[in-house]
Amino acid sequence: MMNTERNRRSIRLKGYDYSQSGMYFVTICAQDRECLFGAIIPNGAAPNKIALNDAGRMIEREWEKLISRFPYIVLREYIIMPNHFHGIFEIRSDENKATIGDIVGAFKSITTAGYIHGVNNDGWQPFCKRLWQRNYYEHIVRNEDEYCQIAEYIQNNPFNWENDRENTPCFNS
């Protein structure tokens, strides 16, 4: 039997120090792309809107609290979608020892604990095995133009929901 955990190919940039100062764009997906954090509200001819549920609002609070855990980061644009999260953050110190993997790992761990609390105490929709998919997508933001393009992509994410083949139907009418 093949051990798939060990044979996964890394998507990280070989030799890059992911703790160094710079801006990083991350995408974290809910396990099986389940819509656990809210729904998209179609708005006719106007752009779609995202309606976060209690779980989505908890995700938002925990993202915003990351700066108290990692005081050398600055949070930039982000959005919580029904089944995934996009965010840009900046590491502003070469003295820090945490990598973006440490920061994302802490975020995933804290939000998983918060979500389990919501399932046990507030009737939130249970998830199967994991709240978040095992890995996450990351991109090193290299310049101002790229930052602007990614920020615009984040802001427009709800508007493009229907055109994304990866998304499951998470609509409220």
Side-chain angles (χ1 to χ4, degrees), residues 27-42:
T27 298
I28 311 167
C29 295
Q31 184 68 27
D32 299 324
R33 292 220 180 230
E34 266 198 87
C35 295
L36 300 172
F37 313 130
I40 295 294
I41 301 171

Side-chain angles (χ1 to χ4, degrees), residues 3-167:
N3 182 341
T4 56
E5 293 284 318
R6 204 168 351 135
N7 292 323
R8 288 183 188 215
R9 215 177 99 236
S10 175
I11 59 173
R12 306 293 168 247
L13 189 60
K14 239 186 193 30
Y16 186 82
D17 177 4
Y18 282 96
S19 66
Q20 71 181 320
S21 291
M23 274 199 231
Y24 302 92
F25 167 51
V26 296
T27 298
I28 311 167
C29 295
Q31 184 68 27
D32 299 324
R33 292 220 180 230
E34 266 198 87
C35 295
L36 300 172
F37 313 130
I40 295 294
I41 301 171
N43 203 9
N48 294 334
K49 294 187 184 276
I50 177 77
L52 296 178
N53 58 19
D54 289 341
R57 287 187 289 280
M58 178 273 299
I59 300 286
E60 183 170 43
R61 279 191 308 276
E62 295 303 336
W63 177 254
E64 291 175 350
K65 288 184 350 189
L66 278 178
I67 57 174
S68 61
R69 186 180 199 95
F70 302 100
Y72 44 81
I73 68 171
V74 176
L75 302 177
R76 303 291 182 172
E77 286 76 15
Y78 69 89
I79 192 160
I80 299 123
M81 296 295 289
N83 62 7
H84 66 279
F85 171 89
H86 292 298
I88 300 172
F89 63 88
E90 180 179 0
I91 296 177
R92 283 205 167 164
S93 170
D94 290 328
E95 301 295 317
N96 103 78
K97 301 285 182 251
T99 65
I100 67 168
D102 297 328
I103 296 165
V104 171
F107 176 68
K108 288 169 73 172
S109 178
I110 291 164
T111 54
T112 297
Y115 196 97
I116 290 169
H117 178 83
V119 169
N120 292 336
N121 296 294
D122 301 317
W124 294 3
Q125 179 182 337
F127 58 88
C128 183
K129 295 183 185 169
R130 300 173 190 243
L131 177 61
W132 301 106
Q133 287 182 358
R134 179 181 175 274
N135 219 331
Y136 61 92
Y137 168 82
E138 122 288 303
H139 176 79
I140 302 158
V141 181
R142 291 176 173 84
N143 57 49
E144 186 69 24
D145 287 343
E146 195 173 67
Y147 171 77
C148 291
Q149 288 173 353
I150 294 168
E152 185 178 338
Y153 170 80
I154 290 171
Q155 293 163 358
N156 290 330
N157 214 243
F159 315 141
N160 298 318
W161 180 261
E162 295 133 355
N163 301 324
D164 189 339
R165 290 176 297 155
E166 300 267 343
N167 291 330

